[in-house]
Amino acid sequence: MGLKTAIKWPKQITPALVQKLILRERDIQKAVIIFDSATAEYANGFRHDQNTFSIMISKLASANQFRSAEDLLDRMKKEKCNLTEDIFLSVCRAYGRVHRPLDSLRIFHKMKDLQCERTKKSYVTVFSILVSENQLKVAQKFHRDMKEEGISPNVAFLNVLIKALSMNKSTIDAALAVFKEMPDKGHIPDSYTYGTLISGLCKLGMIDEAKRLFKDMETKGCSPTVITYTCLIHSLCRSSNLGEAMKLLKEMGSKGIEPNVVTFSSLMDGLCKGGRSSEALELLANMIAKCLTPNVITYSSLINGLLKEGKLQEAVEILDRMKLQGLRPNVGLYGNLVTCLCECSKFREAANFLDEMVLGKVSPGCVTWSLHIKMHNMVVQGLCEKDLGRAFQVYLSMRTRGILRNQSTYSSLVACFCSTGDAQKAYRVIHEMVLDGFVPDEVTWNAIVSGFLCRKKVHEAAELVQLELVGEFLKPVV
């Protein structure tokens, strides 16, 4: 299977010793060497057993060395070593972990080929992997095959089935039907059953149905988990029912259920969108007091909420705290902050954040590229009246980084350079403007020609007028 290296084994080499050495070895290649070295002792009476094969297969699968793991499964059969269900399932789960559900299904079928008995545990495991990986059509066929083979479902399997049916609006009624039929067929829904169905209802916006099920859950003696509470709180916040969401948070505390980061983030996002950023700040303090670490979503919700209410200073303070924690703001967050600073005429501060983005290598994606362009143009136009030198720096940075300039940006720069007497920069900008495919309007032409004439640079002015006339002459006839 791998490289063979001489290992000095004791006279009485046992499977327990080999298993112990493989378990202790973190390096998969060294673990393979130990296994192969033990194999070389076959001539001296040692043979790998179910345990040594099992631990080696598990290690190989965990390291994504699936071919080697499957080769050992075949070898176990040849050496007439007992193949157990758990050995196969370790490979199935490993394939599921790397998002290869169809390979998990293949290993499930291989169990039958290698004459290994498949129990409900195998069916539930593979069905769960198929559902988790959104292979719903394959999962549906798998369920039909299971029934044809006479395998009756248990609560664990039905929970996975309900999860699959709860993913779509078209099948949620079927999920509810399975849930209602469970007691009649001798299966009592547990906390996971309720939680799965409540989560699905919340994601589909069926909050009233989720609330009714939540009440029914408690009457049946099933305790909600933090995940169930969080799903409800998140859904209530999305439907602007903040009062009820806050009541659920208090209820969690009275029952000794600790909220997690997602719980707090959902509430803070809801409060911020509802114009209640002060309460969201209190929740942040409460969250930190419980030794919970805010994530990017937590901070982003809070910053955007503060900006929405015009609390610029508080937003910048939270951003600084976010960066100190080692979290990187995204383009959208910077865009909202820059826009807010521009609206408050704080264009220098806005330019500083643009520089910060460059230094932090925060790059926009396809969705945020238009926002990236918009905020850069906004900053240049705003700076023209306050700090022309800085405006020109941002403009040059835009050209270097391929960020498109708009007509207003060019016009603002030309007008301001002309008003300050910097005719050369005005000439440069208008030249680049024309090269980039923009046609200067009458106001822009008048500004630069007047600027040159006032300084007796008639030759340059004449060139510009000539350039304009050539442009007019070359316009296509409509």
Side-chain angles (χ1 to χ4, degrees):
M1 183 178 67
L3 296 171
K4 288 188 172 68
T5 299
I7 292 179
K8 191 172 182 180
W9 294 102
K11 289 183 180 179
Q12 294 296 322
I13 174 174
T14 64
L17 173 62
V18 176
Q19 183 182 355
K20 183 180 178 181
L21 290 173
I22 293 172
L23 275 171
R24 286 171 55 183
E25 185 54 66
R26 293 185 179 182
D27 187 320
I28 185 63
Q29 295 306 323
K30 290 180 180 178
V32 168
I33 289 171
I34 294 169
F35 185 88
D36 287 345
S37 177
T39 301
E41 296 296 311
Y42 274 22
N44 298 325
F46 168 80
R47 293 194 76 81
H48 285 298
D49 67 1
Q50 174 190 317
N51 293 326
T52 54
F53 271 116
S54 176
I55 193 63
M56 194 67 244
I57 289 169
S58 179
K59 269 190 169 287
L60 287 166
S62 297
N64 298 339
Q65 295 190 20
F66 295 107
R67 179 173 291 183
S68 297
E70 291 192 46
D71 286 344
L72 285 187
L73 288 174
D74 295 328
R75 181 173 154 188
M76 285 182 75
K77 181 65 178 176
K78 288 178 183 176
E79 295 187 14
K80 297 181 180 178
C81 192
N82 185 33
L83 279 158
T84 66
E85 183 180 36
D86 286 337
I87 295 174
F88 282 97
L89 292 184
S90 69
V91 181
C92 286
R93 293 189 188 100
Y95 271 127
R97 178 177 47 78
V98 296
H99 311 295
R100 292 170 62 178
L102 299 183
D103 280 312
S104 296
L105 183 60
R106 180 176 55 77
I107 295 298
F108 172 82
H109 291 307
K110 190 171 185 175
M111 290 173 70
K112 187 175 181 180
D113 297 337
L114 296 180
Q115 298 177 335
C116 177
E117 183 183 358
R118 300 177 299 192
T119 68
K120 288 180 184 178
K121 182 179 179 181
S122 294
Y123 281 93
V124 172
T125 301
V126 175
F127 188 64
S128 180
I129 291 169
L130 292 171
V131 170
S132 297
E133 293 300 315
N134 208 28
Q135 292 283 339
L136 301 185
K137 288 185 178 179
V138 180
Q140 189 178 26
K141 184 180 181 303
F142 184 84
H143 183 216
R144 285 198 304 267
D145 293 343
M146 176 182 173
K147 288 194 292 185
E148 287 174 6
E149 291 181 24
I151 307 292
S152 59
N154 56 14
V155 173
F157 186 88
L158 291 172
N159 285 343
V160 178
L161 179 60
I162 288 171
K163 180 180 179 181
L165 295 171
S166 299
M167 289 182 174
N168 298 300
K169 199 92 173 179
S170 59
T171 55
I172 188 65
D173 289 339
L176 290 165
V178 172
F179 170 76
K180 289 175 183 176
E181 291 172 3
M182 283 178 69
D184 296 335
K185 295 184 177 180
H187 304 297
I188 306 302
D190 56 18
S191 295
Y192 188 86
T193 315
Y194 278 100
T196 300
L197 197 47
I198 289 169
S199 175
L201 289 166
C202 287
K203 287 175 182 176
L204 294 172
M206 302 170 70
I207 184 64
D208 291 333
E209 292 85 345
K211 283 158 61 177
R212 280 195 293 270
L213 203 60
F214 185 76
K215 288 180 181 178
D216 180 61
M217 178 181 188
E218 294 187 293
T219 60
K220 297 291 172 57
C222 290
S223 301
T225 64
V226 61
I227 296 172
T228 307
Y229 269 107
T230 301
C231 285
L232 268 175
I233 287 171
H234 181 66
S235 190
L236 287 166
C237 288
R238 276 171 45 185
S239 60
S240 301
N241 198 340
L242 295 173
E244 200 167 347
M246 293 298 286
K247 282 181 183 177
L248 281 180
L249 180 67
K250 289 180 182 178
E251 186 180 301
M252 289 176 72
S254 66
K255 292 183 177 180
I257 301 172
E258 289 294 333
N260 58 24
V261 174
V262 180
T263 316
F264 278 110
S265 297
S266 297
L267 276 166
M268 289 165 65
D269 184 58
L271 289 168
C272 287
K273 286 177 178 174
R276 295 161 63 177
S277 61
S278 296
E279 292 176 65
L281 283 170
E282 291 175 11
L283 274 183
L284 178 67
N286 188 9
M287 179 181 177
I288 293 170
K290 290 181 179 292
C291 299
L292 292 172
T293 305
N295 57 26
V296 173
I297 296 172
T298 314
Y299 282 120
S300 297
S301 297
L302 189 51
I303 292 168
N304 287 330
L306 290 165
L307 291 173
K308 184 181 175 182
E309 294 179 39
K311 298 177 180 178
L312 189 55
Q313 185 58 41
E314 292 94 328
V316 172
E317 288 173 5
I318 296 296
L319 182 71
D320 289 339
R321 187 187 295 187
M322 177 183 179
K323 290 184 289 187
L324 283 171
Q325 195 177 306
L327 299 175
R328 292 179 60 187
N330 59 25
V331 173
L333 193 58
Y334 272 118
N336 290 341
L337 185 57
V338 168
T339 300
C340 191
L341 286 165
C342 289
E343 288 172 354
C344 297
S345 298
K346 296 187 175 184
F347 297 105
R348 289 189 182 90
E349 291 89 336
N352 291 339
F353 279 112
L354 293 183
D355 291 341
E356 188 177 293
M357 287 178 67
V358 175
L359 291 172
K361 297 180 180 178
V362 179
S363 302
C366 295
V367 177
T368 53
W369 184 249
S370 59
L371 173 65
H372 202 57
I373 293 171
K374 180 183 175 183
M375 63 182 177
H376 275 80
N377 282 284
M378 194 187 307
V379 170
V380 174
Q381 291 166 40
L383 281 170
C384 280
E385 297 293 334
K386 297 177 176 291
D387 189 341
L388 185 55
R390 188 70 184 282
F392 191 59
Q393 287 177 357
V394 177
Y395 164 77
L396 293 176
S397 174
M398 290 174 71
R399 294 194 68 86
T400 303
R401 291 157 54 217
I403 300 171
L404 299 176
R405 287 73 55 199
N406 60 29
Q407 180 104 15
S408 297
T409 297
Y410 285 112
S411 298
S412 297
L413 284 167
V414 170
C416 288
F417 279 130
C418 287
S419 66
T420 57
D422 196 338
Q424 292 302 322
K425 280 198 177 70
Y427 177 83
R428 171 180 173 172
V429 172
I430 204 164
H431 179 67
E432 290 171 346
M433 180 181 185
V434 173
L435 286 176
D436 289 342
F438 290 95
V439 178
D441 57 22
E442 185 178 350
V443 175
T444 307
W445 281 114
N446 288 338
I448 194 163
V449 172
S450 299
F452 278 130
L453 289 174
C454 288
R455 285 153 187 80
K456 298 181 181 180
K457 296 192 176 183
V458 181
H459 180 67
E460 289 89 338
E463 281 186 352
L464 283 172
V465 173
Q466 185 181 30
L467 179 62
E468 181 183 12
L469 291 173
V470 169
E472 288 293 328
F473 181 78
L474 293 175
K475 279 184 181 178
V477 178
V478 179

